[in-house]
Amino acid sequence: MRATIKMKLGATFAVVLILLAGVVGYGITQLGSINDAMSEMVDDPVTALDRIQQFNDASTSAALAEKSLAITDDPAMLRSQLNIMRRQRARADDLIATPPPLADDTDRAQYAQVRAEWNSYKAAADQAVALALENKNLEAGRISLGAARAASDRMGDLVDAMVTRQRGEMKAADAGGDVLYATSRTTLLTVAIVAFVIAVFGAIWISLTVSRGLKRVSVALDAVAIGDLDNEVTSPATTRSRIWSIPSIA
């Protein structure tokens, strides 16, 4: 079966449309993957980092208020710092009570360690606060700078380790997103170039077919114009199209 011009046009445009549909489908799929990667980064390391940093801020504020109690005997200052300490402790308790929803085993273990040191700190700090409220600032200061500070320092080291880990996960997720974007861009450009080349090739192929036929018809018409009525337009054995359906000129 020989190809007509309609078949050639149909085949060329069908291939181009299939490639374009593939580009659209692939693009939608990759956009979904990029969106999932960004959502995972926001829901896991970014959320966890924000949470542990908020805990660090609350626990530090509570520790500062607790130490302020040990160095003042002003009743108004005592009440103010005591309120600040209680408010920041409650905030820190809420933040460290449970790990984020997407936490893995390492996250849960680190949260448990920080929570244990936080409870150790509060136990020591409570003793310092009780002495400070009794105006026993010297004894309160010893505990505040001793057992309470040691627990606070250990907790701070654990928090620093968690922050470092979460930042590392954010960098890894960002790098993964960059790779996915680069791969998607390369693939889309490649398919687009292939579609363009096929379209150009098809256009040239069809143009040559049409021009050859028209050239043969033109030669025959020129012959008729000069009185040569014996010239015939013959169809190549390999081609079947509307152009070759013109009746012979005799």
Side-chain angles (χ1 to χ4, degrees):
M1 179 179 180
R2 291 173 295 181
T4 65
I5 291 179
K6 284 185 177 180
M7 291 175 62
K8 292 176 181 179
L9 283 171
T12 301
F13 284 110
V15 172
V16 172
L17 288 175
I18 290 172
L19 288 173
L20 291 177
V23 168
V24 172
Y26 181 79
I28 292 174
T29 300
Q30 293 304 98
L31 285 174
S33 298
I34 293 173
N35 180 67
D36 290 342
M38 294 301 296
S39 296
E40 184 178 349
M41 182 173 68
V42 171
D43 292 340
D44 188 9
V46 172
T47 300
L49 179 61
D50 177 68
R51 188 167 184 167
I52 196 62
Q53 286 181 327
Q54 287 190 54
F55 167 78
N56 187 54
D57 176 68
S59 61
T60 300
S61 296
L64 289 173
E66 171 257 314
K67 287 175 172 52
S68 297
L69 291 172
I71 60 175
T72 183
D73 55 4
D74 179 25
M77 178 65 72
L78 285 171
R79 287 193 300 271
S80 174
Q81 294 302 311
L82 188 60
N83 288 334
I84 293 174
M85 185 194 72
R86 288 171 174 168
R87 185 171 62 253
Q88 294 300 330
R89 273 195 182 187
R91 180 178 166 223
D93 285 338
D94 182 62
L95 290 167
I96 203 63
T98 56
L102 297 180
D104 55 22
D105 292 340
T106 302
D107 290 328
R108 285 188 285 270
Q110 288 181 324
Y111 264 80
Q113 291 175 332
V114 172
R115 191 161 51 247
E117 292 299 342
W118 170 240
N119 291 332
S120 297
Y121 161 76
K122 289 192 296 181
D126 284 343
Q127 298 177 22
V129 170
L131 291 170
L133 294 177
E134 296 175 2
N135 291 325
K136 297 179 180 179
N137 291 352
L138 182 60
E139 293 87 340
R142 287 174 181 169
I143 296 175
S144 179
L145 296 175
R149 182 172 182 176
S152 179
D153 289 344
R154 291 193 300 270
M155 182 178 64
D157 291 339
L158 291 171
V159 169
D160 289 342
M162 293 179 70
V163 169
T164 300
R165 179 171 179 267
Q166 297 301 335
R167 285 177 176 169
E169 289 186 356
M170 288 176 60
K171 288 182 179 179
D174 182 58
D178 290 341
V179 171
L180 184 60
Y181 168 76
T183 301
S184 302
R185 181 184 59 185
T186 301
T187 302
L188 290 173
L189 287 175
T190 301
V191 175
I193 291 172
V194 171
F196 177 77
V197 170
I198 290 176
V200 171
F201 176 78
I204 294 173
W205 179 36
I206 295 170
S207 176
L208 289 175
T209 300
V210 173
S211 64
R212 281 196 298 265
L214 291 176
K215 184 176 181 180
R216 288 177 181 271
V217 173
S218 176
V219 170
L221 292 175
D222 288 342
V224 171
I226 62 176
D228 183 3
L229 302 179
D230 296 325
N231 198 301
E232 293 185 356
V233 180
T234 57
S235 172
T238 58
T239 306
R240 182 185 178 189
S241 71
R242 293 290 180 182
I243 289 186
W244 302 115
S245 66
I246 299 176
S248 298
I249 300 174

